[in-house]
Structure formats: structure tokens, C-alpha cells
Amino acid sequence: MGIALKKILVITGGSRGIGAATARLGAASGYAVCVNYRHNEVAAMAVVEAITSAGGEAIAVPGDVGSEADVVRLFEKVDEKLGPVTALVNNAGILEAQMRVEKMDAARLGRVVTANVIGSFLCAREAIRRMSTRHGGKGGAIVNVSSIASKLGAPNEYVDYAAAKGAIDSFTIGLAKEVAAEGIRVNAVRPGVIYTEIHASGGEPDRVERVKSSVPMQRGGQADEVARAILWLLSDEASYSTGALLDVAGGR
Ligand code: NAP
């Protein structure tokens, strides 16, 4: 019997919401976890503390996924502290104040595309350089956190964000094909309305309560319900799935 490969999971935006739930569940599933975050060190350290006090292995690493230098440093830190990444969750994402497209300026559009799209590309690049059999790696899995907004379009709220998530869907499909023969699976989850703090950035902290009646299941989702789908896609249970977009959206 060979020695089992150490499972090393990088989660961008792992300090809060869906990322934090994925970090905790990932650690419970046997991954050594890197919790990346942008500003909220207290929240990131609380996730690390919860994992380590339960006997797991975790580190917190700050870095803006939209900064190429930060992303390079993030993966170097993981190499140094945990080992080469075997699983990546591109979870970090932002939305901005609800408004119609005719009011959006280029600065806002740049921030939304940089954090949601360019960040995911840069992190995937660093992961592939370590995972791909083409580069001497042992394979791995990537899950991109898209949104059901890519399908619904988010009119009058944030079409820019929805379009960025549409780019994540195409990125998932294309990258999955590009690295399929190199031991790497790439999939996405598309969450619906989930109880997290992201809605406050749109100016409506209780947005889930307002829109939940339009969800066929008549309720918002919990971060853990998304985390379970992410962990399944990362796992060997999903060994023949790549390029899949898994809706976790209560039927929307
Ligand atoms: P959240 O509660 O607002 O948490 C966002 C996380 O991302 C935080 O850990 C934050 O770090 C981090 N982050 C933000 N920008 C970053 C950057 N540039 N670099 C590194 N980290 C960054 O969000 P969430 O609701 O859990 O959302 C997670 C993902 O799910 C996002 O991609 C979002 O678009 C997607 N999603 C959410 C919903 C929903 O209803 N909640 C629905 C569909 C899709 P700090 O703590 O340091 O700020």
C-alpha cells in the first residue's frame, strides 16, 4: 500500500460565510486547510481556532485575490506551511450596492470583475502549476463558487455581479476541458440566496427574507448546505464529474 497523499485545501475568502463553512467541513473531512481572507483577521483566526481545537490542521493567510502578487505569496505560504495544494475552492467574491446598469461606473465594474473573475483565474493558475501532471504534480480538484445569479441576471440589483458569475461558469467549463487529462477536475457550485453577510454589501442585509418566497423551496439556504456540495465535488466521490455546474439554490 502506498502512503496516502496529504490533502491540502486552499479556500479563498475562508473567513466568513460559505468559505468559513467549507473550511470547517473540509478540516472535518481530513484536509489541512488554508483560510485565505482579505481584511477580517479576527474572523479568519476564529475559523482556524475552531479547526485546530477540534484536532485539525489550519492556517490563515491574508491576501487580496485580485492582486497577482498577493496570490503568488498565498500559494508560496501554503507550500511552506502545509505542502503543495491538492484542492482549491475559489470562493472569495464581492457584490456592491444594488443599482441599475445605467448608474454603474467603470471603477465599480473593475472591482467586481477583478475580485470575482480575475481572482479566480489567478488562484487556479497557481493551483494548476502545482497540481498538473504536466508540471510533475499529482492532480487535484478545483471548485469555483459561481451563483444562480449567472442564470437569473440579477436585474435592478447587480447585473455586473451576475455577469461576473457568468464568466465563472464559462471559466469552469473551459478550464475543466483544458486540464482534464492532467489529473485535475474543475467544477462549480451555483448557490441561490444563502444566509451570509454578503447581502449587507448590497445595502440589504435581510435580502434573503425578502426574496425567499420566490424560491421554489420557499426558504433561503445555509452556508453548510453549500459547503457540503463543494466538499462532494472536491472528493473522489465525484471522480467522473468535471466541468459541471451544480445548482444549490432550492429549485431556482
Ligand atoms: P461573505 O459572507 O461576504 O464572505 C466573503 C468572504 O470573501 C470573506 O471571507 C472575505 O474576506 C472574502 N473576500 C472578499 N473579497 C476578497 C478578496 N478580494 N480577496 C480575498 N478574500 C476576499 O460572502 P458569502 O456570501 O459567503 O459568499 C461566498 C461566495 O459565494 C462568493 O463568491 C459569492 O459571490 C458566492 N455566493 C453567495 C451567495 C449568497 O447568497 N450568500 C449566493 C450565490 C453565490 P474578509 O472576511 O477578510 O472580508
Side-chain angles (χ1 to χ4, degrees), residues 79-163:
D79 289 340
E80 185 193 318
K81 300 277 183 194
L82 300 175
V85 58
T86 65
L88 166 66
V89 181
N90 271 320
N91 165 79
I94 58 160
L95 50 76
E96 298 212 358
Q98 296 176 0
M99 67 175 67
R100 288 167 55 91
V101 170
E102 68 223 41
K103 292 198 166 156
M104 293 176 186
D105 62 18
R108 167 190 169 124
L109 297 171
R111 288 191 298 272
V112 168
V113 170
T114 300
N116 292 301
V117 183
I118 297 179
S120 297
F121 269 79
L122 292 173
C123 291
R125 181 190 79 188
E126 292 305 308
I128 290 162
R129 288 177 180 176
R130 290 159 173 84
M131 292 174 179
S132 172
T133 54
R134 190 188 168 103
H135 300 296
K138 296 189 169 68
I142 297 173
V143 172
N144 296 322
V145 182
S146 174
S147 170
I148 206 68
S150 74
K151 206 169 79 173
L152 302 176
N156 302 306
E157 295 189 328
Y158 16 72
V159 174
D160 54 346
Y161 168 84

Side-chain angles (χ1 to χ4, degrees), residues 12-19 36-40 43 63-66 91-94 115-116 145-148 161 165 191-194 196-199:
T12 64
S15 51
R16 294 184 289 117
I18 293 167
N36 157 256
Y37 64 101
R38 186 183 40 170
H39 298 311
N40 197 331
D64 178 348
V65 295
N91 165 79
I94 58 160
N116 292 301
V145 182
S146 174
S147 170
I148 206 68
Y161 168 84
K165 294 302 191 179
V193 280
I194 310 298
T196 73
E197 292 165 356
I198 202 170
H199 308 290

Side-chain angles (χ1 to χ4, degrees), residues 17-249:
I18 293 167
T22 305
R24 287 190 299 265
L25 191 62
S29 311
Y31 289 92
V33 176
C34 169
V35 176
N36 157 256
Y37 64 101
R38 186 183 40 170
H39 298 311
N40 197 331
E41 184 179 9
V42 171
M45 290 316 298
V47 175
V48 167
E49 173 60 27
I51 291 171
T52 52
S53 63
E57 187 177 2
I59 58 169
V61 181
D64 178 348
V65 295
S67 154
E68 187 164 20
D70 282 11
V71 171
V72 168
R73 261 198 307 272
L74 164 65
F75 283 83
E76 284 173 356
K77 185 63 85 177
V78 173
D79 289 340
E80 185 193 318
K81 300 277 183 194
L82 300 175
V85 58
T86 65
L88 166 66
V89 181
N90 271 320
N91 165 79
I94 58 160
L95 50 76
E96 298 212 358
Q98 296 176 0
M99 67 175 67
R100 288 167 55 91
V101 170
E102 68 223 41
K103 292 198 166 156
M104 293 176 186
D105 62 18
R108 167 190 169 124
L109 297 171
R111 288 191 298 272
V112 168
V113 170
T114 300
N116 292 301
V117 183
I118 297 179
S120 297
F121 269 79
L122 292 173
C123 291
R125 181 190 79 188
E126 292 305 308
I128 290 162
R129 288 177 180 176
R130 290 159 173 84
M131 292 174 179
S132 172
T133 54
R134 190 188 168 103
H135 300 296
K138 296 189 169 68
I142 297 173
V143 172
N144 296 322
V145 182
S146 174
S147 170
I148 206 68
S150 74
K151 206 169 79 173
L152 302 176
N156 302 306
E157 295 189 328
Y158 16 72
V159 174
D160 54 346
Y161 168 84
K165 294 302 191 179
I168 293 298
D169 292 357
S170 300
F171 170 53
T172 303
I173 293 164
L175 182 62
K177 290 176 179 168
E178 193 164 295
V179 298
E182 300 167 26
I184 306 173
R185 293 181 302 101
V186 184
N187 294 289
V189 291
R190 296 197 297 192
V193 280
I194 310 298
Y195 289 98
T196 73
E197 292 165 356
I198 202 170
H199 308 290
S201 344
E204 192 184 4
D206 294 330
R207 179 171 177 271
V208 182
E209 295 308 316
R210 175 173 61 85
V211 304
K212 69 181 184 189
S213 61
S214 67
V215 177
M217 287 179 72
Q218 299 289 305
R219 67 171 180 87
Q222 299 295 337
D224 276 337
E225 296 182 284
V226 182
R228 287 200 291 272
I230 293 171
L231 264 297
W232 178 75
L233 284 168
L234 289 178
S235 78
D236 289 342
E237 298 296 308
S239 54
Y240 200 52
S241 292
T242 198
L245 310 175
L246 175 56
D247 294 350
V248 187

